Amino acid sequence: MTRQNNNSIIFNSLFQALPFGVYIVDVQSHQLLFANRHLSEMVGGNVREGGICYREIFNFESPCMHCRIKELRSDGEEQSGDHLTFEFFNEYNDRWYQFHELMVPWTDGRLVKCTFAVDISELKAAQNSLAEAHARLAIKNEELETLYARDVLTGAYNRVKLDEIMDKELGRYERYGRLFSIILMDIDDFKDINDTLGHLAGDRVLYEMSNLLAANTRATDLLCRWGGEEFLLVCPETDSSGVRPLAENLRQMVAGHEFECGRRITISLGAATVRPEDTQDSMIARADKAMYLSKSQGKNACNFM
Amino acid sequence: MSKFSFMVVDDSLITQRKLSQLLEELGHSVAGTCVNGQQACEKYIQLKPDLVTMDITMPVMGGIEATKKIIESDPDAVIVMVTSHGQKQTVIDAIGAGAKGYILKPFYRDNVAQTLNKVINKYLNKE
């Protein structure tokens, strides 16, 4: 018996005895050079050596989505010893595999890819139930955060959260001198909406107003429900020259919006930018004063103090 | 439990078929299927399904971006992830994007039914 034949028999019996799928593919032609018995069983038998790997093993007409031959060859020069490990979910048999792939020289000198497919479904099942539990916890956290921080009717932040936001912004101003502004907004003649259209319609207007304001402010601005028909917008990193046009744009946008109840609805606004020695109360009091000035000017107006 | 309409989003046609079949077995209907996130955003507006099942890794637009976009256009959209990705950060990103449930592949009938029932009871059977 020649040495080569002997090697081939040893190779064959070793790979056949391995308790996981093994197959070897020519990286140029995708020709399947070897597949062990375990691999054949994994994919339902009938894997023909000599055929094309993606047809024989995966039953595809073109190279598989998960094929890593390109990656193994990505440096343009295939080299013996290049190695990749990745996890792969096989949709056909609903099993998870860990693939170990490496480039090795074949008996005739050409470079081939050798794949070891280890079934890790049991391990994955344990990992997956942990990940699903993690997801349930994350969902619960989101719900708790919503309950804690959001106004139930409008979805805007509530007073509890506003205190937190203002504390944080005042702290940033004191420590780093980062300016911020607030805009207090009051729906004009809201009592009349409640009295003539009913409280349900009034609630609907509040909900619509909240969504409208949230959709028309910057991602970094924070909208809170301040009182009955009052909203307060906190605008981080915004000075007096920034907050004035912002407030005016909101006024115009609301005045031009067609509300579901069919009425034209306006808001009166008062804006303030943080000053040295400001507290949450002093700052909101200034915005409140500016807002009342807007009311006294005939409503649907905007002032800054 | 009442019957709900679903949109199944997955780039794998095998998963689409398996999941659609399972949803129908559970008494629901499948209003449509999509192979990527972009298609899902467009089809969602047309179909207005009660629930969406969303894969994460898909060509053109992935499931997390699509979830964000759909919820932007309809804050009441109910989206459940059905994916093979169980990494912590991916889970957090998906829930942060607004997903209401998370199912990992391979999905089993009881697991899918249980997760969907919870989501349905919380978000769709309010009245």
Side-chain angles (χ1 to χ4, degrees):
Chain A
M1 195 179 287
T2 64
R3 181 181 283 268
Q4 194 172 351
N5 263 344
N6 203 16
N7 282 347
S8 161
I9 290 165
I10 293 170
F11 163 91
N12 205 42
S13 42
L14 275 178
F15 277 7
Q16 291 298 1
L18 287 174
F20 37 77
V22 181
Y23 66 95
I24 295 171
V25 168
D26 181 318
V27 294
Q28 300 289 348
S29 64
H30 288 263
Q31 189 191 17
L32 186 65
L33 302 171
F34 172 81
N36 74 350
R37 203 176 302 119
H38 199 87
L39 185 100
S40 285
E41 284 164 12
M42 261 165 60
V43 297
N46 298 329
V47 172
R48 287 177 305 124
E49 287 173 5
I52 300 297
C53 60
Y54 46 83
R55 283 197 201 117
E56 294 299 325
I57 300 172
F58 296 98
N59 211 11
F60 286 139
E61 278 312 304
S62 53
C64 312
M65 288 281 281
H66 64 272
C67 181
R68 300 292 179 98
I69 285 181
K70 270 193 191 145
E71 217 169 296
L72 281 164
R73 295 166 60 188
S74 60
D75 53 6
E77 288 174 36
E78 301 112 48
Q79 285 178 13
S80 167
D82 282 357
H83 183 258
L84 264 182
T85 303
F86 59 96
E87 289 177 354
F88 167 69
F89 177 67
N90 188 352
E91 312 260 0
Y92 287 94
N93 64 359
D94 275 348
R95 307 288 296 177
W96 274 97
Y97 294 97
Q98 189 176 56
F99 275 31
H100 298 266
E101 303 203 316
L102 68 156
M103 299 285 241
V104 286
W106 192 234
T107 45
D108 55 10
R110 60 183 155 161
L111 213 53
V112 296
K113 181 194 73 157
C114 181
T115 300
F116 298 85
V118 184
D119 189 324
I120 52 163
S121 301
E122 307 307 319
L123 175 72
K124 268 297 193 189
Q127 278 179 5
N128 282 359
S129 43
L130 196 65
E132 284 179 354
H134 196 84
R136 284 195 294 275
L137 196 65
I139 291 167
K140 205 39 113 193
N141 279 343
E142 289 272 323
E143 289 167 3
L144 286 175
E145 165 74 16
T146 305
L147 278 177
Y148 165 76
R150 300 271 178 182
D151 171 57
V152 179
L153 174 65
T154 62
Y157 288 121
N158 58 20
R159 292 281 283 262
V160 175
K161 186 71 180 177
L162 175 69
D163 287 349
E164 255 182 49
I165 295 168
M166 288 293 285
D167 258 2
K168 195 171 146 200
E169 286 304 317
L170 284 165
R172 268 164 38 88
Y173 172 64
E174 268 173 38
R175 230 161 290 141
Y176 311 111
R178 309 307 304 181
L179 289 174
F180 74 102
S181 299
I182 58 172
I183 305 173
L184 190 62
M185 296 166 274
D186 186 275
I187 303 177
D188 296 327
D189 305 312
F190 186 70
K191 189 174 177 301
D192 186 50
I193 296 168
N194 269 340
D195 289 348
T196 53
L197 302 175
H199 285 274
L200 276 180
D203 284 354
R204 187 69 210 162
V205 167
L206 288 171
Y207 177 74
E208 215 179 327
M209 182 68 78
S210 175
N211 284 340
L212 185 64
L213 293 171
N216 287 282
T217 47
R218 300 165 301 187
T220 46
D221 296 337
L222 301 146
L223 184 71
C224 312
R225 187 171 176 204
W226 173 247
E229 66 264 31
E230 284 180 314
F231 291 92
L232 197 144
L233 189 72
V234 181
C235 315
E237 302 289 331
T238 308
D239 61 12
S240 57
S241 65
V243 76
R244 286 168 203 255
L246 196 65
E248 177 55 22
N249 283 345
L250 286 175
R251 185 195 66 75
Q252 287 181 20
M253 186 270 304
V254 171
H257 180 76
E258 283 186 30
F259 282 81
E260 277 176 22
C261 62
R263 284 206 187 180
R264 286 282 168 190
I265 295 171
T266 58
I267 50 175
S268 294
L269 304 91
T273 298
V274 68
R275 291 179 188 167
E277 311 301 322
D278 248 342
T279 61
Q280 178 174 332
D281 289 348
S282 67
M283 208 178 158
I284 294 176
R286 233 172 24 257
D288 199 44
K289 219 169 152 186
M291 193 268 288
Y292 273 97
L293 183 61
S294 299
K295 290 277 185 198
S296 69
Q297 289 169 342
K299 302 168 188 170
N300 189 22
C302 177
N303 278 283
F304 176 85
M305 277 190 187
Chain B
M1 192 180 66
S2 13
K3 190 177 166 176
F4 291 96
S5 73
F6 279 73
M7 184 169 89
V8 174
V9 187
D10 203 303
D11 64 332
S12 153
L13 298 180
I14 308 163
T15 301
Q16 274 191 16
R17 185 165 44 77
K18 282 184 186 170
L19 198 50
S20 301
Q21 198 181 338
L22 177 53
L23 291 171
E24 277 159 11
E25 277 171 28
L26 293 172
H28 302 296
S29 66
V30 177
T33 54
C34 309
V35 291
N36 63 53
Q38 192 177 319
Q39 214 181 65
C41 295
E42 289 159 12
K43 246 185 180 170
Y44 181 85
I45 297 167
Q46 296 166 19
L47 300 175
K48 279 274 169 192
D50 298 314
L51 285 112
V52 178
T53 71
M54 183 76 81
D55 186 17
I56 287 184
T57 309
M58 291 179 288
V60 189
M61 186 196 287
I64 291 181
E65 197 186 340
T67 300
K68 278 186 197 158
K69 285 201 172 232
I70 290 175
I71 288 178
E72 234 173 68
S73 73
D74 174 12
D76 297 326
V78 182
I79 302 173
V80 174
M81 308 313 276
V82 180
T83 174
S84 54
H85 288 270
Q87 295 91 341
K88 194 173 169 183
Q89 197 50 50
T90 314
V91 171
I92 291 171
D93 289 348
I95 304 303
K100 303 288 191 280
Y102 208 97
I103 298 168
L104 279 154
K105 291 177 188 175
F107 45 84
Y108 300 106
R109 187 193 162 95
D110 290 352
N111 190 22
V112 173
Q114 199 185 4
T115 304
L116 291 181
N117 283 350
K118 266 191 196 164
V119 172
I120 286 168
N121 286 333
K122 197 175 283 173
Y123 299 98
L124 297 168
N125 279 344
K126 281 181 187 169
E127 296 80 29

